[in-house]
Amino acid sequence: MADEPEQKQSVGGGEQEEEEEEEEQEQPEEAEEEEDEDEASEGSVDSAEGSPPMTLAARRALRAMKSLGGSVDPDDDSPNMIVYRKIEDIVMFIQDEEEGVPIRTVKSFMTKIPSVVTGTDIVQWLMKNLDIEDPAEAIHAGGLIASQGYFFPISDHVLSLKDDGTFYRFQAPYFWPSNCWEPENTDYAIYLCKRTMQNKTRLELADYEAENLARLQRAFARKWEFIFMQAEAQVKIDRKKDKTERKILDSQERAFWDVHRPVPGCVNTTEMDIRKCRRMKNPHRVKKSVYGLAEEPTQVQSPVHGPVHNARKGTKEDLEKEIGFLRHQLDRHCMKMSKVAESLISYTEQYMEYDPFLTSPEPSNPWTSDDCTFWDLETSKEPSQQRVKKWGFSLEEALKDPAGQELFLKFLESEFSSENLRFWLAVQDLKQRPLLEVAERTQEIWAEFLAEGAPSTINLDSHSYERTGHNLKDPGRYSYEDAQDHIYKLMKSDSYTRFLRSNAYQDLLITRKKPEAEQGRRTSLEKFTRSVGKSLTGKRLTGLMQSS
Amino acid sequence: MCDQTFMAITFGPCDSCSKASPLMNIYIKSDPINYCSFCMEMMACQALQSGESLATLKSESDSLKKKLEEERAKLHDVELNQVAEKVELVSALSIRTRRVLKGHGNKVLCMDWCKDKRRLVSSSQDGKVIVWDGYTLNKEHAVTMPCTWVMACAYAPSGCAVACGGLDNKCSVYPLSLDKNENLAAKKKSVAMHTNYLSGCSFTNSDMQLLTSSGDGTCALWDVESGQLLQSFHGHTADVLSLNLAPSETGNTFVSGGCDKKANVWDMRSGQNVQSFETHDSDINCVKYYPTGDAFASASDDGTCRLYDLRADREVAVYQKDSIIFGASSVDFSLSGRLLFAGYNDYTINVWDVLKGNRISILFGHENRVSCVKVSPDGTSFASASWDTSLRIWA
């Protein structure tokens, strides 16, 4: 953030000027010398001198303002960077002297553990500042920030967060993922090698690291002398540093490698979505060497960083197209938000009982109960009352269900207007045919439904009829769109409403309270008494009629 | 002394209007141009004009955008969540993992349900495409694609074929044979050809048409049988990452979302872009229609999911939280449209109340990014695919 004075980060990191690209590769020890922290203020972050510390929301607002002003590096637009910036806002705020977690030096036996904070403190802080209610969620979120490499447990290679007294330390900005690190195996070899050179228990290699080192020794057999020398040089540089600073830096360096060469079985958070890789616009920004090794001349350009992929620049034609589009949008008749909301709400209310996540399906959800009865019932030819009820919601629902479609067709046959539905179905089928069959099928439909003297003439208005005839000069899948639309509207407004009032539909709605299989003796008794009652009533009526 | 002579045509037919007149001899990029003075002036004016008109067009476009925003804002008389206050709260959901499908060797990138509500197809970074019976966990078919990163797969409506593609820039259809011993790869049919990776594919209402989206910035509709391109859709200015067909039986539209932060609605018949929405701050990874087709949701790398209504022609809800830092990769609606299931790059799935806008629950379980979330055709469950190489079915 160019406007603010540089912020002092935790020991071991260089000042991170986010706006500028770091062309030179800062050696860890160079960055080191710029620090002059004393133990008490280790890990504290000063915001702008004199001004109060910013809240998380304020930082985000400032960042948003800057992006509007166009002062942000275009690379910040890439999906990874967006996440890194958000995490960095959090990480900087969490280290704030007043609003952050208590980072301190802990005395333990004969040694001091510098610049640490407990897991519980981090979890509590996240809950408070990220508005999280459930500690499990905070642990998960914190664990992700750790696995990205922004803070780490001081005694473990596995980057996660625990809600207890485990100690964590914050990563130096120099090692932050937003610097586009892609460290090479040669650097990793140097790192492992130098650790074996120093006689410190805390630097001993873990099993997987020892295996990695062995593999690297085989792979780099020819240049091992070079690697060894580099490692020695690094050891010499490290020896010059203050003991406390070395502890901190060593841990930060280890955490860096835990991100880029994770413990087997742990998630490698540096893996990228290949669809987004092409947009890392600036391959030069990628940092490949931690220890300042010169770029090898034989280095192949990373396959992931292709040529700059620019969005097509706006040409005159593009703008004209856009203007045409915008004018068209202005002409569009839109619905008021209140009406839209009512429509969304009423649909949801109507379908809530059909939504298995909101209303448990009868008899049970097959996935939770391991009982497939529900599926058998849904596909059966004898639909449940609930299914039948749904046909009354819209013509579309009725047609979607094969049983509903069948019933509607039968009803139309009784009214001698089944050709409408048959036409609609034929056109639906036409649209699903392979291209080669389309021309033939359009002719068949014409012959069946539209030609003069056709066996199933549909009632089309003259305008649609003309349009359709015209379309057929160049027959295609959409030749009958207008006609189909017209017929659908006709069925919807006319036949469908009568269908819903018809005996055929109403009977199904009433009697099918439970599927046949589950009818108990009581219901059968009901049916019996009803039928007996009916026959008795019938006898009484005829008796009356006879007597009058 | 000058001993070189140049042949200069000082009088003759003009290169532009062919009239014989005194010519002005100039060179443009070392090519001689012999125009009469009138045509020379015309050329100069036109160059000026095109420069000018580009600027005027830009300002016209900007003022139209502003006017459009004002017009739309007039109709924005209330917020969705305000109207939804009268709606009952969703009672606590007890969604858990009911099945874990293990078998892929690498990141699972995409999955799709079969219409029979229990089978599904999934594709992975290692080139494998597997067809499962989700209910019994049986692997019924497996195909190895010749390319890695199979980013898209789809089940045919008949249940008899699957389509898939990815870094090969193609979409291929494999018929599913009942004979387990048959080599599926042999019957493969190459249908779609793009000039960049295939990001999404979907059958229309039949096995015969395939709709695809690609990193080349276009979508396309193909006839499966012949492989012919039926319609192409141009308008995105960057990779298209996702597409979804409108649910209506009579509708002929679909929505697409891409790296240009735009979600576009298209008419399949004409190839025209009929509506466009641009409110996200980063790539749109997934778009999904609301069950009625009147609205759709989007998931983006900016960590938010949003609801856009087509009738209001506007964004009507944003689903976000301070604690959600990582991008959303995928969304889908429950059957009634009340719940929105969203998969994120932070390994979780969040369940949102579409109407009220709040998060109902957060589901843990996956150990790496969630790449795809889809509700089953009858709404009884939803499946999630993840970079942790597994798929989970939740209910």
Side-chain angles (χ1 to χ4, degrees):
Chain A
M1 302 196 225
D3 289 348
E4 290 188 21
E6 290 160 45
Q7 310 194 346
K8 296 222 171 111
Q9 308 298 345
S10 41
V11 173
E15 265 94 354
Q16 181 74 10
E17 283 159 319
E18 291 167 351
E19 301 286 59
E20 291 165 20
E21 298 192 320
E22 294 198 82
E23 298 295 326
E24 291 129 19
Q25 295 175 356
E26 264 182 57
Q27 304 270 0
E29 90 273 20
E30 279 170 14
E32 243 290 273
E33 280 155 9
E34 290 170 308
E35 298 301 323
D36 57 347
E37 318 262 271
D38 55 61
E39 274 185 34
S41 66
E42 262 164 4
S44 68
V45 176
D46 286 342
S47 20
E49 284 154 2
S51 65
M54 286 201 290
T55 60
L56 201 57
R59 279 171 202 268
R60 284 194 183 150
L62 184 68
R63 185 186 298 292
M65 264 168 49
K66 283 195 190 289
S67 64
L68 281 174
S71 61
V72 168
D73 192 330
D75 279 351
D76 281 354
D77 247 4
S78 74
N80 279 352
M81 281 303 166
I82 292 180
V83 175
Y84 294 149
R85 296 304 176 217
K86 287 189 204 170
I87 297 178
E88 285 162 16
D89 284 343
I90 294 170
V91 161
M92 295 209 279
F93 192 40
I94 200 175
Q95 294 176 78
D96 183 86
E97 226 170 63
E98 274 148 56
E99 303 284 326
V101 287
I103 303 171
R104 20 157 227 276
T105 305
V106 170
K107 292 194 167 65
S108 146
F109 300 118
M110 305 287 282
T111 55
K112 288 191 213 155
I113 308 175
S115 185
V116 288
V117 62
T118 64
T120 305
D121 283 340
I122 296 178
V123 173
Q124 291 300 314
W125 188 93
L126 289 172
M127 285 176 68
K128 181 170 157 222
N129 289 279
L130 290 182
D131 197 26
I132 296 174
E133 286 168 6
D134 180 12
E137 209 189 311
I139 292 169
H140 181 87
L144 275 161
I145 297 176
S147 67
Q148 292 288 327
Y150 285 91
F151 67 83
F152 53 91
I154 57 170
S155 321
D156 200 343
H157 281 288
V158 176
L159 299 169
S160 65
L161 178 63
K162 293 198 194 110
D163 188 8
D164 58 19
T166 313
F167 288 127
Y168 295 84
R169 188 171 287 142
F170 288 95
Q171 181 57 286
Y174 175 69
F175 284 128
W176 282 357
S178 48
N179 289 333
C180 304
W181 284 103
E182 280 180 27
E184 303 269 304
N185 276 329
T186 36
D187 283 72
Y188 188 44
I190 293 170
Y191 166 67
L192 291 176
C193 201
K194 82 166 176 171
R195 271 183 46 195
T196 60
M197 289 174 175
Q198 297 165 85
N199 195 10
K200 280 188 161 39
T201 29
R202 66 178 167 86
L203 295 175
E204 258 171 29
L205 294 183
D207 287 341
Y208 79 94
E209 289 178 306
E211 275 174 40
N212 286 346
L213 181 59
R215 221 179 305 124
L216 287 166
Q217 275 172 328
R218 288 196 294 275
F220 291 133
R222 291 234 188 93
K223 55 179 180 179
W224 197 255
E225 209 180 301
F226 169 74
I227 288 173
F228 195 84
M229 272 167 45
Q230 291 295 315
E232 278 184 325
Q234 289 294 318
V235 169
K236 263 203 195 134
I237 293 167
D238 289 348
R239 280 216 182 98
K240 290 185 190 154
K241 292 176 215 154
D242 168 72
K243 202 172 80 168
T244 312
E245 286 165 8
R246 268 186 72 188
K247 260 193 209 167
I248 293 172
L249 196 64
D250 283 347
S251 69
Q252 289 173 330
E253 196 184 12
R254 187 191 72 187
F256 171 80
W257 288 110
D258 287 338
V259 170
H260 293 275
R261 299 288 186 276
V263 179
C266 281
V267 173
N268 184 344
T269 57
T270 63
E271 282 183 323
M272 289 186 68
D273 184 338
I274 204 167
R275 302 173 302 177
K276 323 265 174 166
C277 281
R278 282 186 315 161
R279 283 154 62 227
M280 280 197 58
K281 292 174 191 155
N282 195 351
H284 298 296
R285 212 182 147 175
V286 171
K287 278 189 145 132
K288 285 194 184 293
S289 179
V290 185
Y291 305 110
L293 299 177
E295 294 265 290
E296 310 243 318
T298 52
Q299 217 164 50
V300 178
Q301 160 128 104
S302 165
V304 144
H305 302 122
V308 175
H309 179 69
N310 277 321
R312 273 171 56 244
K313 293 206 175 95
T315 63
K316 196 166 152 200
E317 276 156 9
D318 286 340
L319 281 170
E320 282 170 352
K321 246 187 168 178
E322 194 179 50
I323 288 170
F325 179 81
L326 289 166
R327 284 196 198 283
H328 186 76
Q329 296 305 311
L330 273 170
D331 285 340
R332 176 191 295 276
H333 176 64
C334 288
M335 211 189 266
K336 259 194 308 183
M337 201 43 230
S338 44
K339 266 185 124 179
V340 163
E342 288 299 334
S343 154
L344 293 171
I345 290 170
S346 65
Y347 179 86
T348 303
E349 309 245 271
Q350 195 180 43
Y351 280 82
M352 265 186 57
E353 67 175 281
Y354 296 91
D355 187 337
F357 279 100
L358 299 170
T359 312
S360 201
E362 297 276 319
S364 65
N365 186 327
W367 295 103
T368 60
S369 66
D370 292 333
D371 170 15
C372 295
T373 315
F374 175 69
W375 284 336
D376 296 332
L377 292 174
E378 284 294 298
T379 46
S380 80
K381 283 269 171 184
E382 299 186 342
S384 66
Q385 192 220 19
Q386 215 191 21
R387 240 172 94 191
V388 175
K389 189 168 125 185
K390 214 174 176 188
W391 303 344
F393 291 171
S394 67
L395 176 55
E396 195 173 326
E397 282 294 347
L399 293 178
K400 248 199 255 177
D401 188 333
Q405 196 182 96
E406 205 184 306
L407 194 71
F408 186 52
L409 186 66
K410 279 212 181 77
F411 170 75
L412 290 175
E413 278 167 5
S414 74
E415 293 206 331
F416 303 103
S417 59
S418 69
E419 66 277 357
N420 286 338
L421 182 57
R422 285 188 290 118
F423 169 72
W424 186 86
L425 290 169
V427 178
Q428 286 296 90
D429 171 77
L430 167 70
K431 288 191 277 193
Q432 295 169 9
R433 290 296 177 102
L435 199 56
L436 290 171
E437 296 177 21
V438 165
E440 194 189 322
R441 199 75 191 98
T442 49
Q443 292 309 317
E444 284 171 10
I445 292 176
W446 179 266
E448 174 76 20
F449 297 101
L450 288 153
E452 271 209 42
S456 319
T457 30
I458 54 169
N459 198 357
L460 263 192
D461 64 297
S462 58
H463 179 70
S464 303
Y465 193 83
E466 241 182 83
R467 283 272 291 274
T468 308
H470 180 80
N471 287 344
L472 286 178
K473 295 207 177 99
D474 182 21
R477 275 157 39 251
Y478 294 114
S479 295
Y480 291 109
E481 264 330 76
D482 295 327
Q484 195 193 31
D485 213 34
H486 180 87
I487 293 294
Y488 190 82
K489 288 198 174 93
L490 196 68
M491 285 195 295
K492 192 166 150 182
S493 59
D494 194 31
S495 322
Y496 177 64
T497 37
R498 281 203 303 280
F499 166 71
L500 292 181
R501 283 185 266 134
S502 72
N503 285 335
Y505 179 72
Q506 289 293 327
D507 283 348
L508 266 187
L509 202 57
I510 294 166
T511 59
R512 293 232 180 268
K513 279 213 189 293
K514 276 189 185 149
E516 291 291 337
E518 282 193 55
Q519 273 186 357
R521 279 183 302 154
R522 239 173 100 201
T523 331
S524 300
L525 185 59
E526 274 178 19
K527 272 187 140 183
F528 173 75
T529 33
R530 212 186 297 150
S531 66
V532 166
K534 264 193 191 150
S535 59
L536 281 176
T537 328
K539 283 198 182 117
R540 250 181 253 135
L541 267 174
T542 41
L544 276 170
M545 282 177 73
Q546 276 173 352
S547 60
S548 57
Chain B
M1 176 138 156
C2 170
D3 55 13
Q4 282 180 312
T5 47
F6 295 93
M7 276 293 285
I9 309 165
T10 48
F11 189 93
C14 165
D15 281 346
S16 168
C17 64
S18 320
K19 270 198 268 178
S21 43
L23 298 177
M24 310 197 52
N25 312 115
I26 63 160
Y27 286 81
I28 295 182
K29 289 199 177 144
S30 63
D31 290 329
I33 303 278
N34 301 308
Y35 279 17
C36 65
S37 58
F38 180 72
C39 292
M40 190 69 71
E41 274 192 36
M42 282 297 291
M43 182 172 65
C45 281
Q46 275 165 11
L48 263 179
Q49 245 181 27
S50 72
E52 268 175 4
S53 56
L54 206 65
T56 48
L57 282 178
K58 190 79 181 58
S59 71
E60 193 183 340
S61 158
D62 287 340
S63 75
L64 278 173
K65 278 191 192 146
K66 217 171 140 209
K67 194 166 169 209
L68 191 63
E69 180 51 40
E70 280 166 14
E71 286 297 309
R72 296 288 182 261
K74 282 184 201 164
L75 295 173
H76 201 99
D77 51 346
V78 74
E79 292 292 333
L80 174 62
N81 54 11
Q82 286 172 308
V83 182
E85 269 164 26
K86 64 182 181 191
V87 182
E88 255 182 59
L89 280 168
V90 172
S91 51
L93 304 168
S94 57
I95 302 176
R96 288 196 346 251
T97 302
R98 304 292 173 170
R99 301 285 192 280
V100 181
L101 301 164
K102 295 201 181 133
H104 277 292
N106 211 317
K107 307 179 180 65
V108 188
L109 304 173
C110 186
M111 55 82 43
D112 191 24
W113 286 96
C114 175
K115 284 223 159 80
D116 75 355
K117 309 151 193 171
R118 46 191 282 176
R119 280 178 178 72
L120 43 92
V121 62
S122 60
S123 65
S124 145
Q125 186 196 340
D126 63 1
K128 288 241 165 39
V129 175
I130 300 178
V131 175
W132 318 71
D133 177 339
Y135 198 68
T136 60
L137 301 183
N138 256 353
K139 294 188 202 37
E140 300 198 333
H141 299 94
V143 181
T144 307
M145 293 277 285
C147 70
T148 58
W149 286 87
V150 187
M151 301 172 220
C153 63
Y155 225 117
S158 68
C160 299
V162 292
C164 50
L167 279 188
D168 57 352
N169 300 357
K170 293 193 262 188
C171 191
S172 312
V173 175
Y174 291 84
L176 296 176
S177 151
L178 287 169
D179 180 1
K180 297 285 166 77
N181 294 327
E182 206 176 336
N183 183 11
L184 285 181
K187 292 246 181 101
K188 159 178 145 173
K189 187 182 237 174
S190 229
V191 174
M193 296 272 276
H194 279 278
T195 52
N196 214 311
Y197 65 86
L198 187 86
S199 56
C201 65
S202 172
F203 285 91
T204 61
N205 287 326
S206 88
D207 284 18
M208 289 299 134
Q209 279 114 38
L210 197 58
L211 192 60
T212 57
S213 64
S214 166
D216 65 12
T218 69
C219 298
L221 181 67
W222 310 83
D223 178 74
V224 174
E225 183 100 359
S226 62
Q228 197 174 323
L229 173 67
L230 296 170
Q231 183 64 259
S232 68
F233 305 90
H234 296 264
H236 278 287
T237 51
D239 306 17
V240 184
L241 294 179
S242 169
L243 63 85
N244 187 231
L245 276 153
S248 165
E249 294 279 307
T250 51
N252 291 312
T253 59
F254 72 95
V255 62
S256 66
C259 295
D260 56 357
K261 312 175 196 170
K262 286 205 198 127
N264 290 336
V265 180
W266 307 87
D267 179 336
M268 287 209 290
R269 286 175 64 180
S270 61
Q272 289 302 311
N273 175 8
V274 295
Q275 274 177 283
S276 186
F277 303 87
E278 190 176 354
T279 61
H280 273 293
D281 298 323
S282 186
D283 302 1
I284 296 179
N285 293 314
C286 183
V287 284
K288 227 24 115 39
Y289 270 99
Y290 183 79
T292 60
D294 292 322
F296 68 90
S298 60
S300 164
D301 276 334
D302 65 9
T304 69
C305 297
R306 294 175 199 237
L307 184 69
Y308 298 90
D309 189 281
L310 300 179
R311 300 161 294 185
D313 194 34
R314 240 175 131 67
E315 172 193 289
V316 301
V318 184
Y319 308 102
Q320 65 184 345
K321 260 184 157 294
D322 277 346
S323 51
I324 298 176
I325 303 166
F326 289 79
S329 61
S330 180
V331 276
D332 205 356
F333 286 97
S334 73
L335 207 119
S336 64
R338 182 68 193 269
L339 303 174
L340 184 70
F341 303 107
Y344 292 78
N345 291 338
D346 66 3
Y347 321 171
T348 66
I349 295 165
N350 287 302
V351 185
W352 298 90
D353 182 328
V354 171
L355 301 174
K356 291 185 183 283
N358 61 300
R359 183 183 67 190
I360 300 172
S361 45
I362 179 170
L363 303 173
F364 298 100
H366 278 299
E367 291 162 13
N368 205 326
R369 294 195 197 189
V370 177
S371 54
C372 185
V373 167
K374 281 206 183 130
V375 173
S376 73
D378 64 353
T380 48
S381 68
F382 71 87
S384 60
S386 165
W387 280 20
D388 68 6
T389 77
S390 75
L391 292 113
R392 282 173 182 247
I393 298 178
W394 310 73

